[in-house]
Amino acid sequence: MNNSLILVILVALFWCSSIQAETYSEVNLIKNVVVSDTYYKNCAPSVTCNSTSKYRTTDGTCNNLEHPLWGSTNTPYIRLGPAYYDDGNYTIRLQHKDGMELPGARELQLGLFWPKSCLFDPPDIRNYHANQIGQFVTHDISLMPSNVAVPPADCCTVQGDDNISYICQAVIKISPSDPLFSEINKTCLPFRRAMTASFDFNCEITPQIPVRNDLYYRIF
């Protein structure tokens, strides 16, 4: 990916985020500050900083001496808009607000990237670009880990159970007519949901707030 394309993508992301931020009401922004304070005031671990330290910390703590946990790992995100969970707390939405069923991850992948014409529309080019922006978003901007200590190891094995754990509610379902996985009779790809402040860190915040694993060296 050349530098010009990277610059265009970054400008587009910044423009979209700035436009979106302007549409949020003051009430939502105030609500988000309250959610953030709930964790930092009631649940966050205490941190002792050395103001004379020569180097920044590897986990992001104390990089901001006034707010030593800001931008550090294993802290919850701050919402810029309302959550849209099906139950208002953490259940994934499966339907659009007009009642139509939302497409699954595999359906979207096939619709966007499966080759329509190998001669004029080679899939490797589009997949490569999607891979690069995907890596940028999921690793550099956000990194939401899953609690691997919570069983089962393979979430596909419990999809027929009556009460499926929250961590296994986002497996990728595969259609029997899938052009690739149907050849090996695979109907499910395991996927685990991210840790949250409430479920994994015993901090009562509703709706659930995902916890990030990356860190930020600069706080603006």
Side-chain angles (χ1 to χ4, degrees), residues 75-117:
T75 53
Y77 285 95
I78 297 176
R79 293 190 184 279
L80 295 180
Y84 287 101
Y85 295 121
D86 194 54
D87 62 351
N89 182 36
Y90 198 53
T91 302
I92 293 178
R93 288 193 307 128
L94 300 178
Q95 291 184 329
H96 191 269
K97 60 183 180 181
D98 62 5
M100 293 183 61
E101 183 178 352
L102 294 172
R106 180 60 175 169
E107 291 179 78
L108 290 174
Q109 182 186 37
L110 291 175
L112 291 171
F113 302 115
W114 193 255
K116 305 300 188 297
S117 168

Side-chain angles (χ1 to χ4, degrees), residues 4 20-21 24 34 36 53 57 62 64 74 81 86-87 109 112 115 123 129 141-142 154 156 210:
S4 298
Q20 191 176 24
Y24 295 136
V34 173
S36 176
S53 177
T57 60
C62 297
N64 183 320
N74 294 326
D86 194 54
D87 62 351
Q109 182 186 37
L112 291 171
H129 288 165
I141 296 180
S142 65
D154 185 347
C156 286

Side-chain angles (χ1 to χ4, degrees), residues 32-192:
N32 291 327
V33 173
V34 173
V35 169
S36 176
D37 284 345
T38 300
Y39 174 80
Y40 288 109
K41 289 182 178 180
N42 302 334
C43 308
S46 60
V47 176
T48 301
C49 299
N50 179 6
S51 60
T52 62
S53 177
K54 182 178 179 180
Y55 302 103
R56 295 180 184 271
T57 60
T58 56
D59 63 359
T61 56
C62 297
N63 289 340
N64 183 320
L65 294 178
E66 293 184 7
H67 304 280
L69 286 174
W70 282 13
S72 63
T73 59
N74 294 326
T75 53
Y77 285 95
I78 297 176
R79 293 190 184 279
L80 295 180
Y84 287 101
Y85 295 121
D86 194 54
D87 62 351
N89 182 36
Y90 198 53
T91 302
I92 293 178
R93 288 193 307 128
L94 300 178
Q95 291 184 329
H96 191 269
K97 60 183 180 181
D98 62 5
M100 293 183 61
E101 183 178 352
L102 294 172
R106 180 60 175 169
E107 291 179 78
L108 290 174
Q109 182 186 37
L110 291 175
L112 291 171
F113 302 115
W114 193 255
K116 305 300 188 297
S117 168
C118 292
L119 180 61
F120 300 105
D121 194 14
D124 56 330
I125 294 178
R126 291 188 297 169
N127 280 340
Y128 178 78
H129 288 165
N131 171 270
Q132 295 305 304
I133 189 63
Q135 290 288 313
F136 177 65
V137 171
T138 62
H139 289 75
D140 293 347
I141 296 180
S142 65
L143 183 60
M144 297 186 293
S146 177
N147 191 341
V148 295
V150 176
D154 185 347
C155 283
C156 286
T157 61
V158 298
Q159 291 308 299
D161 294 357
D162 293 331
N163 296 312
I164 300 176
S165 169
Y166 79 92
I167 208 167
C168 287
Q169 293 176 352
V171 296
I172 301 174
K173 296 181 180 180
I174 306 297
S175 169
S177 60
D178 189 276
L180 178 63
F181 289 107
S182 61
E183 298 181 4
I184 56 175
N185 296 319
K186 195 170 187 65
T187 59
C188 177
L189 294 177
F191 188 88
R192 299 169 68 86

Side-chain angles (χ1 to χ4, degrees), residues 195-215:
M195 292 191 294
T196 71
S198 180
F199 285 144
D200 300 279
F201 291 86
N202 297 318
C203 186
E204 291 300 324
I205 299 178
T206 302
Q208 296 291 322
I209 302 289
V211 173
R212 66 168 179 261
N213 196 226
D214 56 355
L215 59 93

